[in-house]
Amino acid sequence: SIECVSFSPDGRMLVVVRNAQVHLIETATGRARAFVGLLPENTSLGYRTANAVAVSPNNLHLAVAGWNGLIHV
């Protein structure tokens, strides 16, 4: 299931966190451009999950926040 989404500041990419996997999708074509990786497991909950994702203003950095309060950059 989709956990969270965010557009890049220039609108050219959509970041989708789905099933604890981070994907970059080109908005013009809908094609997957990159797979960033799998989120670390939340040991207190026993599964991987995210509740927010954001792209930096210069499109160089991606941050994913987990339900455990950790932010992965």
Side-chain angles (χ1 to χ4, degrees), residues 3-4 17-22 35-42 47-53 63-67 70-72:
E3 299 168 27
C4 49
V17 180
R18 181 173 182 253
N19 298 327
Q21 299 177 349
V22 183
F35 169 71
V36 178
L38 187 65
L39 297 176
E41 185 171 333
N42 182 336
Y47 57 89
R48 296 170 172 90
T49 187
N51 65 346
V53 62
V64 180
W67 287 104
L70 295 177
I71 298 174
H72 305 277

Side-chain angles (χ1 to χ4, degrees), residues 4-44:
C4 49
V5 298
S6 180
F7 284 99
S8 62
D10 61 8
R12 294 175 49 198
M13 291 292 211
L14 176 66
V15 181
V16 178
V17 180
R18 181 173 182 253
N19 298 327
Q21 299 177 349
V22 183
H23 301 271
L24 300 177
I25 299 170
E26 190 176 71
T27 56
T29 64
R31 294 173 58 197
R33 302 308 289 172
F35 169 71
V36 178
L38 187 65
L39 297 176
E41 185 171 333
N42 182 336
T43 54
S44 64

